[in-house]
DNA sequence: CTGAAAGCGCTTACAG
DNA sequence: CTGAAAGCGCTTACAG
């Protein structure tokens, strides 16, 4: 039966409900014999405490809220994978909330907090600075622990885990310059994401340092639109290196370039900044900066558990390592 | 403040908490003037009812549970996208639960039901028949409404929404036969998914009907492994048509085939059974059966709301339409 | 239309 | 080590 309550267990085990509660929450505080007896009854009846009642009484729901822009985005799904695995290990339930930059942020935060989550993982990277401030201030005031997961926001009080996309992009740009490319473009998105802003900053730095003009070409997230953009792009652009914030953009570009008879990597070196599984399905295979998104999810969830358990945390800003994977779309690395 | 309770509102509005509760749940039952007064106070204090307390008192959490195998799988993420959008519209919260075929199914179901969800969307398609029976029987007994979303299980009591993958695959195979292909292979996964089993059945039917031997080649879900499998495959196989349960498998195959000097589509027609965004990033572009996974999510969530509200439902087995998209990897359609 | 009271199923001091 | 009792923040008959 689904409706077995703590009273049923107490009755069958001939103890008070307080004792049943104790064997579930503080087993060491109850006599081993009665503990065994209660445990047996619990198993027999298939009893599981009502999580809602427990949440109300204890003021802890063992549930975390995940705030995101869109579940179906590949990066979000990867993050969720990592979060899920760690959450399961620590026995936290997961509630997901999504909202866009066009919605009332305060209202959205209220909704999340009304659900009494014990902690928040914030994955939405489509908000501007002001919106982020509203969201973060609201969460801070609520005292609910939060960790930014793959999102950048400049506030030392707020823990975050991400990758140093700026350094990664700086470095890959620099390497490309070192093996002789001059006209290097960065392909970014028309829409603003805090991550892509980091990537752009790294690219700009490297170019400036080399005394070259940074050239950012913005395209859509939609692969079919990208192709058209690139057709246009080719007509009057000199380019020998391309770095794309998304693998799909890089692949789209390579396809169009090859249609125009351009040799890749000989004439243009191309790099993707994600290393999705499609990087090895493209022709040529795509050289990438590998950014372990699953790990970001896992580590941020782990960090959040520490805050929820009030454990000591050394550094509340975690940057995970990235690496470069040389494939066929570049002449060197 | 996050800790405003119904008592605070009642106090400030000089009414009883019962009245506050009514303006939130049955506004028509309260005098317009007092209603406005209460509403004003609610707004001033930024009050939001504690969802947990509400859930306990009303026995309705307005939360649904989503049961899946792995969040990060692309199909799962797409389904979630559709679910999310509709859930938001109807103001349901979403809790996600994942578990593998290797776990104790009863235990997993108990976990979900202990959370007091009002309804369940079941997306896990990696269970075998027995495991599905255990899960479904357990849910049935609990009386919690459930909808199978993109999962097949033979039980007329259990509502489901999916696509007729069997018919779709049957038809695409048939068409390929009609334009003259004889040695048609189906590329499926080594692992069993209820959806792929449907696809296989459709393919087998069409081949048998044409008096040809169905040939299913099973490969891994891992794209880098696929490539190796296909290298092997090519050494001693006669093939002029290929249908793949996943686009990534189809693309992987095309790449290897082209490395072997095979012309696509002239010598081998290739079809993908998903139509992911990578279908237009491959060379040649991949002809696909388009299976609208987002829609399945949306429709199944909508259906679930009807069950949760005890509305009349005509047909509890919904099959969404699919369509064929001709691109460059086939000589015809 | 409104309020007082019971109850949802638990946890947690407080006594003993 | 165990039980009786209060309380978590709401909803919902029941009176009036």
């Amino acid at each position: 039966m689904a409706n077995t309550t703590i009273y049923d267990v107490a009755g069958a085990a001939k103890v008070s409900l307080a004792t049943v509660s104790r064997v579930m929450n503080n087993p060491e505080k109850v006599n081993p014999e009665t503990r065994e007896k209660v445990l047996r009854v619990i198993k027999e009846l298939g009893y599981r405490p009502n999580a809602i009642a427990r949440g109300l009484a204890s003021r802890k729901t063992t549930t975390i809220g995940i705030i995101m822009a869109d579940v179906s985005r590949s990066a979000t799904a990867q993050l969720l994978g990592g979060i899920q695995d760690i959450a399961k290990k620590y026995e936290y339930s997961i509630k997901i909330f999504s909202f866009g930059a066009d919605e009332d942020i305060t209202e959205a935060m209220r909704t999340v907090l009304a659900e009494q989550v014990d902690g928040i993982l914030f994955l939405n990277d489509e908000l501007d600075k002001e919106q982020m401030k509203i969201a973060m201030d609201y969460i801070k005031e609520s005292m609910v622990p939060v960790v930014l997961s793959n999102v950048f926001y400049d506030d030392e009080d707020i823990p975050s885990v991400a990758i140093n996309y700026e350094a990664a992009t700086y470095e890959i740009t620099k390497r490309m310059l070192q093996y002789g490319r001059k006209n290097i473009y960065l392909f970014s998105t028309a829409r603003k994401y805090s991550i892509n802003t980091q990537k752009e900053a790294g690219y700009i730095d490297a170019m400036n340092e080399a005394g070259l003009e940074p050239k950012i070409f913005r395209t859509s997230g939609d692969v079919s639109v990208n192709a058209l953009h690139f057709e246009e792009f080719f007509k009057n652009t000199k380019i020998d290196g391309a770095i794309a914030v998304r693998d799909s953009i890089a692949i789209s570009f390579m396809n169009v370039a090859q249609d125009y008879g351009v040799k890749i990597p000989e004439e243009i070196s191309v790099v993707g900044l994600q290393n999705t599984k499609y990087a090895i399905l493209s022709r040529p295979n795509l050289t990438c900066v590998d950014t372990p998104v699953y790990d970001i999810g896992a580590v941020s969830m782990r960090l959040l558990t520490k805050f929820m358990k009030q454990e000591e945390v050394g550094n509340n800003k975690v940057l995970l390592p990235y690496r470069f994977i040389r494939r066929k779309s570049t002449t060197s690395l």
Side-chain angles (χ1 to χ4, degrees), chain A:
Chain A
M1 284 303 300
N3 309 325
T4 317
T5 74
I6 197 170
Y7 295 99
D8 301 325
V9 176
K14 296 193 174 64
V15 295
S16 75
L17 78 172
T19 299
V20 179
S21 178
R22 271 187 218 100
V23 337
M24 308 212 71
N25 302 308
N26 303 93
E28 71 285 0
K29 287 190 179 174
V30 19
N31 178 304
E33 281 176 38
T34 65
R35 190 201 304 154
E36 290 313 318
K37 186 174 60 181
V38 172
L39 249 17
R40 215 178 312 122
V41 175
I42 286 174
K43 192 159 231 168
E44 275 171 31
L45 302 180
Y47 170 69
R48 271 299 188 98
N50 177 323
I52 299 300
R54 172 180 266 189
L56 183 59
S58 68
R59 278 100 164 287
K60 275 181 285 164
T61 54
T62 53
T63 297
I64 64 145
I66 301 184
I67 297 177
M68 62 187 94
D70 177 7
V71 225
S72 60
R73 270 175 51 194
S74 148
T76 307
Q78 300 304 316
L79 284 168
L80 274 177
I83 293 167
Q84 178 89 275
D85 287 349
I86 304 302
K88 190 164 194 172
K89 195 166 151 186
Y90 287 90
E91 300 190 293
Y92 279 97
S93 292
I94 294 177
K95 251 182 176 167
I96 59 177
F97 301 89
S98 77
F99 63 89
D102 53 328
E103 292 182 48
D104 180 335
I105 309 294
T106 306
E107 210 39 47
M109 292 301 113
R110 258 204 256 280
T111 302
V112 176
L113 291 169
E115 303 275 351
Q116 314 299 125
V117 294
D118 290 350
I120 293 174
L121 244 30
F122 199 97
L123 319 198
N124 190 328
D125 67 339
E126 299 187 9
L127 304 182
D128 62 33
K129 263 194 171 147
E130 287 166 53
Q131 292 176 311
M132 277 302 280
K133 182 164 167 46
I134 293 172
M136 292 303 117
D137 287 354
Y138 198 90
I139 294 174
K140 271 188 189 174
E141 200 192 324
S142 77
M143 307 290 283
V144 175
V146 63
V147 172
L148 298 185
S149 191
N150 211 27
V151 175
F152 292 87
Y153 176 67
D154 203 11
D155 181 336
E156 59 180 16
D157 295 342
I158 299 192
S160 65
V161 4
I163 287 163
N164 195 337
Y165 293 106
E166 183 171 345
T169 313
Y170 170 85
E171 197 175 333
I172 197 74
T173 308
K174 190 123 189 165
R175 290 185 183 206
M176 219 180 240
L177 289 162
Q178 272 158 0
Y179 59 78
R181 304 290 164 157
K182 301 273 184 231
N183 293 297
I184 304 174
Y185 272 74
L186 180 73
F187 297 143
S188 190
T189 49
R191 185 164 194 164
K192 294 283 181 187
Y193 299 98
S194 63
I195 288 172
N196 291 351
T197 305
Q198 299 287 313
K199 293 177 180 173
E200 291 169 18
Y203 162 79
I204 291 170
D205 257 20
M207 292 297 278
N208 282 338
E209 212 175 283
L212 295 170
E213 189 198 346
K215 284 165 286 192
I216 297 179
F217 180 77
R218 296 183 187 282
T219 181
S220 149
D222 184 333
V223 285
S224 56
V225 177
N226 287 345
L228 299 175
H229 279 176
F230 286 129
E231 304 270 355
E232 196 57 40
F233 179 82
F234 260 97
K235 290 186 185 149
N236 34 26
T237 312
K238 217 174 126 189
I239 175 172
D240 60 10
I243 299 168
V245 298
R246 290 190 193 163
D247 292 355
S248 63
I249 294 176
I251 296 171
S252 198
F253 172 77
M254 289 200 296
N255 287 339
V256 175
Q258 290 176 112
D259 287 349
Y260 273 73
V262 176
K263 295 253 177 289
I264 297 199
E266 296 78 2
E267 300 177 50
I268 308 179
S269 276
V270 181
V271 168
L273 294 177
Q274 294 183 305
N275 195 35
T276 60
K277 70 172 179 162
Y278 293 92
I280 59 168
L281 289 176
S282 70
R283 290 295 147 127
N285 286 183
L286 188 65
T287 292
C288 285
V289 177
D290 181 53
T291 50
V293 180
Y294 172 96
D295 295 351
I296 297 178
V299 172
S300 48
M301 181 64 213
R302 176 66 186 104
L303 186 59
L304 185 62
T305 63
K306 290 187 185 169
F307 286 113
M308 292 189 292
K309 293 173 188 211
Q310 325 225 38
E311 289 172 23
E312 206 52 55
V313 172
N315 188 354
N316 75 349
K317 298 279 186 194
V318 181
L319 286 176
L320 263 31
Y322 52 85
R323 63 207 172 96
F324 301 104
I325 297 177
R326 166 85 194 275
R327 295 204 185 88
K328 305 289 185 185
S329 67
T330 53
T331 50
S332 180
L333 182 65

